[in-house]
Amino acid sequence: MSNTPTYEEAIKGFDWAQVEEELGYRKGDPINIGWYCTDRICEMGLGDKPALIWEGFKGDQRTYTFDEMRILTDTFAAWLRDLGVEPGERVCLFMDRLPELYFGVLAVLKMGCIAQPLFSAFGEDSLWTRLDNAGTSVVITQRKHVKKVRKIVDRLPGLKHVIVVDADGKPLKEREVALALHDLPPAEDFVVHPTTAESPSILHYTSGTTGQPKGAQHVHYSLISQYITAKWVLDLRPDDVYWCNADPGWVTGTSYGIIGPWANGITQAVLDSGFNADKWYDFIARNRITVWYSAPTAIRLLMKEGAELVAKHDLSALRHLCSVGEPLNAEAVIWSEEAFGKPFHDTFWQTETGCMVITNFPGMQVKPGSMGRPFPGITAAVLDPVEFTPVEKQGQVGVIALRPDWPSLIRTYWNNEEGFKGKFKNGWFVCGDQATIDADGYFWFVGRDDDVINTGGHLVGPFEIESALLGHPAVAESAAVAKPDPVNMEVVKAFVSLKPGFEPSADLDLEIMNFIRKKLSPLAMPQEIEFVEDLPKTRSGKIIRRVLRAKEFGEPVGDISTIMND
Ligand code: 6R9
């Protein structure tokens, strides 16, 4: 039986206060996401229910019940407390999808610290920028990734401890501590920190056009939004086995890979391994996965492998499919109907929104290619990009904007209140994406309203890439822009002018690509480098990426009257 009302029922008289009541939360009470995801579920009598079904890349498996997860997160939190870590400190989780990552996030929240999950493929520069900005005092990592931390530790005076969860007796360096979580005696006496609604919870770094990535700062009250959107949009039911294939280094992996499902007492399956169609179907079949939250790039990769491969696996348990991160093409929705017998339901949201804001609600007619309609309690509009008032004509392109009155909107960008304030126009929170709305109120994505590159559902900021490129001895100037790609939607292309004495060559091309892959991440690595004499600039000397991007997409370049050297 579904717990989800129809869209019409859900929007009628929707009030976040009803969700607070359902969660037993009263204004002013302590609210702690870690407690809600573990202790509360146990108090509801579900302690023996599996919380996490984990599978490693070598095929090793472990299952933890909600009660085991409660004890392990308490034990982890007590251990951090005994190490001297204080509430409010930023604790970074820099590791693959090990059980310790999931328990670590909850433990950090339980002790009133701020969890800062970072994608484990980040190289030393990406890592340093984010740890330095956040003033992080603890990094929790694994042997495989500790080397990257060692390279930058001297430039992080505030970093007190580097915790290695799989040290296994191997020698560690200064400031490093081994933690064998599964061998610790269970801490039965841990008292969850009484965080309140506005206490900071998770800090996710997200890329914009200008400047280095910004720390999107969430609060514990975000739970209200994450709980109800997970329950309704993912259509979660008590017997579900749910799989979110996003990494907790990105917001989907925390809002819907940790908080939403566990606050609903739902069993989650986690696969700590990269994309492999056969392996993924096998994982779904063996674990009888019922609800799957994925992303367009993954779906396009699955499409390439064909529906025949789907038919070789017993995916009969699958009941509901959702997608996020990039535009979900109509073809992918139609293919999923053929291959799985059900459509992927597109959902639109951002790191900043903390929860889904425009969704294809279960039961609502899916219009392939549309993102759906605003979630109940969310006021969304498409605004004129100059006046910041709703567009007058139906179907007119404008910027997506939201009234800032739902629980999980971030409260600021870390150390960058100005940047956060800049997101508001005329009383709206402006998302930075363009869309249209049709006669039925469905939103249709048009494109981003800035130069951010969306590669495989991950946002990459051009500024971060350009700054890193300058670190290469041959690079004089550069511009990083999106280039269309059939699978990843976009990939990074860099235009580079060289310093005197350097000549373009295939070797240099490769060298620069690898330089970025190592310093930043495989996602940020340019897939193509074009050596140029000059870059298009404004009269004030700013590089105009839009001209380069338009050429890549075969689009009109637009007004270039301000360009100085074209
Ligand atoms: C959750 C997440 C946010 C940006 C967003 C937009 C793009 C997300 C989308 C979508 C088209 C969808 N995006 N969902 N574009 N259709 N259904 O992805 O957060 O990493 O902050 O990215 O992703 O451009 O503004 P985040």
Side-chain angles (χ1 to χ4, degrees):
M1 258 293 285
S2 175
N3 286 315
T4 309
T6 64
Y7 184 66
E8 283 67 28
E9 279 165 11
I11 46 174
K12 214 183 314 149
F14 179 88
D15 189 346
W16 296 108
Q18 281 164 9
V19 186
E20 292 179 354
E21 205 180 303
E22 189 171 320
L23 283 164
Y25 168 74
R26 278 174 316 177
K27 288 239 178 306
D29 280 357
I31 175 171
N32 185 291
I33 289 172
W35 182 85
Y36 267 96
C37 289
T38 57
D39 299 62
R40 179 168 179 269
I41 306 301
C42 295
E43 282 181 12
M44 289 163 75
L46 298 174
D48 293 334
K49 182 177 174 178
L52 173 64
I53 300 172
W54 179 85
E55 198 168 300
F57 67 97
K58 290 188 202 136
D60 36 337
Q61 294 165 357
R62 274 184 249 157
T63 298
Y64 301 86
T65 63
F66 275 97
D67 200 46
E68 285 166 335
M69 187 158 85
R70 174 185 67 80
I71 295 169
L72 280 165
T73 51
D74 278 358
T75 306
F76 202 148
W79 185 87
L80 287 168
R81 176 199 61 199
D82 296 345
L83 194 66
V85 184
E86 303 263 0
E89 289 190 274
R90 274 72 61 211
V91 178
C92 166
L93 297 113
F94 182 57
M95 57 180 133
D96 298 346
R97 277 171 261 179
L98 303 181
E100 282 86 347
L101 168 58
Y102 294 82
F103 302 155
V105 169
L106 295 176
V108 168
L109 295 174
K110 278 186 159 183
M111 56 173 307
C113 290
I114 304 175
Q116 184 191 6
L118 291 178
F119 185 41
S120 63
F122 276 152
E124 72 231 43
D125 279 16
S126 289
L127 190 59
W128 181 81
T129 306
R130 291 158 176 80
L131 297 178
D132 177 60
N133 183 266
T136 309
S137 38
V138 182
V139 174
I140 306 176
T141 190
Q142 63 194 99
R143 251 171 31 218
K144 198 165 142 193
H145 301 299
V146 76
K147 293 180 212 95
K148 294 187 270 190
V149 184
R150 283 179 188 158
K151 282 196 187 152
I152 54 171
V153 76
D154 290 342
R155 290 193 286 141
L156 293 166
L159 185 62
K160 292 190 274 194
H161 309 288
V162 178
I163 295 162
V164 182
V165 299
D166 59 352
D168 202 19
K170 298 275 182 323
L172 297 175
K173 307 244 173 188
E174 206 194 318
R175 284 195 252 183
E176 293 174 0
V177 202
L179 165 65
L181 179 64
H182 292 83
D183 298 341
L184 289 180
E188 289 283 3
D189 65 332
F190 181 76
V191 181
V192 175
H193 192 78
T195 46
T196 52
E198 294 303 306
S199 305
S201 55
I202 295 191
L203 190 60
H204 269 300
Y205 275 77
T206 183
S207 300
T209 309
T210 52
Q212 292 290 356
K214 298 184 266 290
Q217 198 217 287
H218 295 271
V219 292
H220 280 268
Y221 188 61
S222 68
L223 170 77
I224 307 296
S225 293
Q226 289 147 351
Y227 166 83
I228 197 69
T229 46
K231 179 173 171 177
W232 285 355
V233 183
L234 301 171
D235 191 27
L236 296 177
R237 306 177 189 180
D239 293 333
D240 274 330
V241 180
Y242 163 77
W243 183 32
C244 167
N245 57 246
D247 188 291
W250 315 108
V251 73
T252 307
T254 53
S255 289
Y256 299 103
I258 295 181
I259 308 170
W262 279 334
N264 276 282
I266 298 295
T267 303
Q268 289 206 72
V270 164
L271 177 63
D272 178 25
S273 101
F275 179 82
N276 177 306
D278 200 34
K279 204 167 173 176
W280 277 26
Y281 293 144
D282 179 54
F283 181 71
I284 295 173
R286 272 187 295 104
N287 292 297
R288 308 282 306 152
I289 306 251
T290 53
V291 180
W292 183 16
Y293 199 13
S294 195
T297 290
I299 301 164
R300 285 191 290 269
L301 285 168
L302 295 173
M303 280 170 79
K304 275 176 71 173
E305 306 272 343
E308 307 74 50
L309 187 64
V310 181
K312 287 195 185 135
H313 298 268
D314 173 12
L315 307 186
S316 56
L318 268 186
R319 192 189 75 241
H320 193 57
L321 314 176
C322 292
S323 167
V324 65
E326 327 148 55
L328 181 64
N329 352 21
E331 304 79 62
V333 178
I334 293 161
W335 179 80
S336 95
E337 275 177 333
E338 271 167 38
F340 303 112
K342 41 194 69 73
F344 267 95
H345 292 68
D346 195 11
T347 63
F348 168 89
W349 58 292
Q350 306 182 297
T351 304
E352 287 85 345
T353 69
C355 74
M356 305 167 183
V357 289
I358 297 172
T359 73
N360 280 283
F361 213 77
M364 201 169 97
Q365 186 208 345
V366 173
K367 296 192 189 187
S370 162
M371 306 191 291
R373 288 191 276 178
F375 185 82
I378 303 275
T379 311
V382 163
L383 306 183
D384 175 283
V386 178
E387 302 292 329
F388 295 103
T389 51
V391 291
E392 277 168 15
K393 279 188 268 123
Q394 187 192 84
Q396 196 175 328
V397 178
V399 289
I400 305 176
L402 309 162
R403 284 287 185 212
D405 57 1
W406 75 100
S408 65
L409 174 66
I410 56 162
R411 298 306 195 256
T412 190
Y413 289 124
W414 191 261
N415 273 337
N416 184 1
E417 180 64 14
E418 277 310 298
F420 181 62
K421 283 199 188 125
K423 297 287 292 179
F424 294 86
K425 297 277 186 294
N426 211 9
W428 295 91
F429 174 80
V430 180
C431 294
D433 291 293
Q434 299 173 350
T436 61
I437 308 179
D438 71 14
D440 300 322
Y442 281 64
F443 283 61
W444 297 76
F445 188 78
V446 172
R448 279 197 65 98
D449 198 35
D450 59 18
D451 293 333
V452 171
I453 303 155
N454 187 333
T455 180
H458 299 116
L459 304 188
V460 182
F463 182 83
E464 197 178 14
I465 303 171
E466 291 158 7
S467 307
L469 280 167
L470 288 182
H472 189 281
V475 176
E477 269 190 326
S478 70
V481 299
K483 167 187 146 148
D485 182 82
V487 170
N488 291 295
M489 187 175 88
E490 296 179 350
V491 289
V492 177
K493 172 166 179 181
F495 290 83
V496 169
S497 69
L498 295 174
K499 283 186 186 157
F502 289 93
E503 288 299 322
S505 73
D507 280 354
L508 183 59
D509 200 272
L510 247 153
E511 190 189 305
I512 296 176
M513 285 180 184
N514 275 321
F515 180 79
I516 298 301
R517 185 176 55 80
K518 262 191 86 189
K519 291 263 179 200
L520 298 181
S521 71
L523 294 169
M525 182 183 84
Q527 302 287 322
E528 186 184 334
I529 294 181
E530 186 172 328
F531 295 105
V532 290
E533 289 292 324
D534 268 325
L535 291 164
K537 288 187 189 145
T538 60
R539 289 182 202 286
S540 60
K542 272 198 195 148
I543 293 168
I544 316 180
R545 300 188 194 93
R546 127 180 105 76
V547 172
L548 300 167
R549 184 187 189 281
K551 283 187 188 154
E552 293 306 314
F553 282 78
E555 289 165 0
V557 170
D559 178 14
I560 50 169
S561 58
T562 52
I563 298 176
M564 184 174 70
N565 60 354
D566 208 45

